[in-house]
Amino acid sequence: MKTVSYVAEVQEAALVVIEQGQIRTCRLNTEAKRTVGRRTPTAAPDISLISPIAGRHQGELACLAGEWFWINGESRNGTYYNGRKIEPDGDGNTRPIKLDNGDVLRIDTPDFRSPNGVWMLFTTDGVGEEWTFYSMKDKDEVVIGRDPSQSRIAIQRPYISAVHARITCRDGRYYLDDCHSAAGTWLNGRRISGQELLQEKDRISLCDINFIYSGDNLIFNPRKPKTAEEQKRVILSADIESKTVPDQSGSGAKELIRNVKLEICEGELVALLGGSGAGKSTLMNCLNGMELQGVKGRVTFCGEDLYANFERLKFLIGNVPQKNVLHEMLTVEEEIWEAAVTRLPADMSSQEIRRRVDETISLLRLDSVRRSRIHKISGGEMQRVNIAIDLAADKTLFYLDEPDAGLDPEMKRELFTILQNLAHNQRKTIIVIIHDVSEIELFDRVVMMVKYEDVGRIAFTGTPQEAAEYFGAAMKDVYGILTRNPEKYIRG
Ligand SMILES: Nc1ncnc2c1ncn2[C@@H]1O[C@H](COP(=O)(O)OP(=O)(O)OP(=O)(O)O)[C@@H](O)[C@H]1O
Ligand SMILES: [Mg+2]
């Protein structure tokens, strides 16, 4: 069985360490292990901690075959990995823990309330350099929001409300409130409704922006949109063991897809290919968080577990419907305006919405039909209006299931060219199920699925050029090759 596949190249990694109100970014070198522990006169770990509750040999970070691992050491307080204490297995051994972008290691007391706690974020995301401080010292109130004139911390992303969340200081304590934001304010993974007292190392999340509260500081990654020249980061990864549905008898389970491992970078246009029934729509519904029933595995989006944080992250995901769900009697611009008004925060000004609608119309090349009623426009234009609706709301990850169905070759090319442009110039990540591969060279990645023993599997992931080399054939002939010899190509 061939195993050539696309897995994003080993990315540089870093550990962002927060302790005692200070932040440090420790770059990790794939060549060498890094020991982590408390500095003492006799021991100088590579990553030295000052906290008195850290052990001298808290653990080690090591890169093995391109993957990073935490190897737990000996310590009185132990280490928590994403909120769970690392314990030995039944045989008394503690296995190394594979680290993914966004994973958090903590040294703390079991209630996570020690002022001496250490919070360590493993990141491959800009190598941790984008993390920054905001000191709340001597401030009665700190507003986080989109509007710089009303917010001390301004995050200018459309899914953030103009005034989104407020931290108030009283008697040396800090309290968090949500300001009726559209997307909500989350504290340690829970959406808040009333005022909450902040405790050391609490995590405040507004969609994909995380703030760590420590001392008098907020420490956060503003996630500034990156330009194409900047290093690509993996934005979506999946490790799905299986997705099952109840079988016809109702007593057993039918497996629809198995062993799907994928990594997709920000700003990529990805084609999901495969014969009918290969499991493409099933996989898409696992990746977009729509189908959680019967999924064994994990999908990570923006470095976070998508399923566990779906209610917060869904604001960034656009599922473009295949069917026409538009209001036939509205004009194109009215339709996009309506969608923008209902999906963008209520406090966004009409001028700002107008600007977004105009920009969206131009990006989707809908200027010539902006005043036409929906029922008069072509299938290709209709499909573009469907995309415009999510684009106007500034989604960052788009899923399209066969958007080219019923389009003539010219319309298809135009649609995929527009999608490529959105991916490359607007940094959108776009995953598209297609059947026809005639425009495949416009895509950055292809993910090829095949049905084997009645279960959908991954046969290949890589660039279109790599696919052609791998299968030794033009892309248009690959389906035939795969259907005849699925066992030769399946992975996992
Ligand atoms: N809820 C379900 N119950 C039982 N079987 C299902 C269910 N959903 C999908 N399947 C089966 O799983 C397989 C994969 O379906 P899926 O819709 O993902 O295929 P696809 O690759 O998108 O196909 P197409 O190109 O025809 O859209 C098919 O054999 C389908 O019949
Ligand atoms: Mg399908």
Side-chain angles (χ1 to χ4, degrees):
M1 192 191 302
K2 292 192 183 181
T3 53
V4 176
S5 68
Y6 162 71
V7 173
E9 56 283 10
V10 179
Q11 295 197 335
E12 281 188 80
L15 197 68
V16 178
V17 181
I18 300 173
E19 57 173 344
Q20 318 244 316
Q22 295 181 23
I23 182 171
R24 267 176 303 149
T25 296
C26 308
R27 278 171 172 268
L28 304 175
N29 175 349
T30 51
E31 304 300 316
K33 270 188 191 172
R34 304 295 301 270
T35 54
V36 179
R38 179 165 44 87
R39 190 183 193 102
T40 64
T42 52
D46 300 319
I47 297 176
S48 286
L49 303 174
I50 45 179
S51 166
I53 72 164
R56 271 184 278 180
H57 307 288
Q58 193 73 33
E60 282 175 7
L61 291 151
C63 185
L64 306 167
E67 312 257 41
W68 281 96
F69 292 87
W70 169 258
I71 302 159
N72 212 30
E74 285 175 16
S75 64
R76 188 152 29 92
N77 294 297
T79 312
Y80 293 79
Y81 166 70
N82 291 340
R84 188 173 300 166
K85 190 163 188 178
I86 303 171
E87 304 277 10
D89 291 349
D91 57 10
N93 295 323
T94 307
R95 292 186 202 294
I97 291 175
K98 179 176 165 307
L99 296 175
D100 288 322
N101 184 32
D103 282 347
V104 174
L105 296 160
R106 280 178 84 146
I107 306 164
D108 217 319
T109 47
D111 60 358
F112 295 132
R113 290 289 174 259
S114 169
N116 291 317
V118 184
W119 191 97
M120 299 180 285
L121 171 92
F122 173 80
T123 177
T124 52
D125 191 359
V127 202
E129 278 151 4
E130 292 183 4
W131 286 75
T132 178
F133 257 117
Y134 183 83
S135 171
M136 301 190 290
K137 207 168 168 47
D138 303 327
K139 298 192 176 82
D140 297 338
E141 184 184 273
V142 173
V143 168
I144 307 171
R146 194 186 67 253
D147 179 359
S149 68
Q150 300 182 69
S151 315
R152 286 190 195 258
I153 301 180
I155 310 274
Q156 287 175 293
R157 307 299 298 265
Y159 47 82
I160 302 291
S161 294
V163 173
H164 196 117
R166 175 180 293 113
I167 296 171
T168 334
C169 180
R170 278 198 311 274
D171 307 327
R173 290 165 166 245
Y174 292 96
Y175 297 85
L176 173 70
D177 270 307
D178 177 70
C179 305
H180 308 288
S181 69
T185 301
W186 306 65
L187 184 61
N188 300 325
R190 178 176 52 81
R191 189 171 185 163
I192 63 164
S193 49
Q195 194 170 67
E196 304 263 350
L197 172 65
L198 288 178
Q199 313 259 16
E200 179 65 23
K201 308 284 189 320
D202 269 350
R203 175 153 90 155
I204 304 164
S205 314
L206 279 52
C207 287
D208 60 337
I209 319 281
N210 287 305
F211 299 80
I212 310 304
Y213 162 70
S214 182
D216 290 315
N217 301 304
L218 282 179
I219 297 159
F220 65 107
N221 180 341
R223 285 195 193 280
K224 294 199 191 84
K226 294 187 179 177
T227 61
E229 294 74 47
E230 285 173 306
Q231 192 190 7
K232 281 199 161 185
R233 64 170 173 139
V234 174
I235 190 152
L236 182 77
S237 68
D239 189 350
I240 300 170
E241 211 175 295
S242 64
K243 151 81 186 171
T244 51
V245 288
D247 69 5
Q248 276 174 341
S249 71
S251 55
K254 176 175 164 31
E255 197 175 8
L256 302 186
I257 55 173
R258 184 187 300 166
N259 282 347
V260 174
K261 290 194 172 65
L262 282 181
E263 284 190 335
I264 289 169
C265 292
E266 188 176 35
E268 273 185 349
L269 178 61
V270 181
L272 186 47
L273 302 172
S276 185
K280 303 179 296 296
S281 298
T282 305
L283 173 59
M284 189 171 265
N285 287 333
C286 294
L287 295 178
N288 64 18
M290 302 287 275
E291 275 268 358
L292 303 186
Q293 284 271 329
V295 182
K296 218 172 171 187
R298 184 172 137 111
V299 173
T300 308
F301 173 48
C302 297
E304 297 193 70
D305 185 324
L306 174 65
Y307 296 170
N309 300 294
F310 184 71
E311 286 305 311
R312 173 159 55 87
L313 297 175
K314 68 181 180 189
F315 292 94
L316 307 176
I317 303 176
N319 287 300
V320 179
Q322 188 174 21
K323 298 210 179 69
N324 168 21
V325 290
L326 307 170
H327 306 97
E328 299 249 304
M329 293 311 287
L330 294 185
T331 65
V332 165
E333 106 187 309
E334 285 165 351
E335 177 76 37
I336 299 171
W337 171 268
E338 279 286 311
V341 167
T342 42
R343 288 156 180 235
L344 289 167
D347 53 24
M348 195 176 265
S349 70
S350 300
Q351 289 103 302
E352 201 175 339
I353 297 178
R354 167 60 51 208
R355 192 188 55 73
R356 295 199 61 81
V357 168
D358 287 345
E359 188 187 55
T360 303
I361 287 175
S362 145
L363 282 168
L364 287 158
R365 300 189 197 158
L366 288 164
D367 300 273
S368 62
V369 292
R370 64 186 296 158
R371 295 203 172 78
S372 308
R373 288 191 198 282
I374 299 281
H375 70 104
K376 292 260 171 67
I377 63 177
S378 75
E381 288 155 353
M382 194 101 81
Q383 192 51 268
R384 273 143 51 196
V385 177
N386 271 328
I387 300 165
I389 286 172
D390 280 331
L391 190 66
D394 204 43
K395 308 283 181 178
T396 59
L397 174 62
F398 287 73
Y399 291 98
L400 298 92
D401 195 340
E402 299 188 39
D404 55 338
L407 302 189
D408 67 31
E410 203 174 312
M411 290 197 287
K412 264 184 210 187
R413 185 161 182 87
E414 176 158 36
L415 175 67
F416 293 145
T417 308
I418 289 171
L419 292 178
Q420 187 192 52
N421 195 13
L422 292 179
H424 294 179
N425 301 331
Q426 307 293 315
R427 307 294 294 157
K428 305 295 181 188
T429 306
I430 308 177
I431 302 174
V432 193
I433 297 181
I434 56 170
H435 270 289
D436 173 8
V437 293
S438 53
E439 304 296 345
I440 199 71
E441 85 284 1
L442 292 171
F443 288 78
D444 301 302
R445 298 275 154 215
V446 298
V447 175
M448 182 77 72
M449 295 191 76
V450 67
K451 199 170 200 171
Y452 178 62
E453 293 176 339
D454 212 28
V455 182
R457 318 281 195 98
I458 296 280
F460 176 83
T461 63
T463 64
Q465 296 75 12
E466 284 165 353
E469 280 165 29
Y470 178 58
F471 292 101
M475 279 302 286
K476 66 178 178 26
D477 300 322
V478 166
Y479 282 149
I481 293 174
L482 262 180
T483 319
R484 283 192 296 279
N485 280 316
E487 72 287 351
K488 192 170 162 195
Y489 297 102
I490 54 160
R491 296 173 40 209

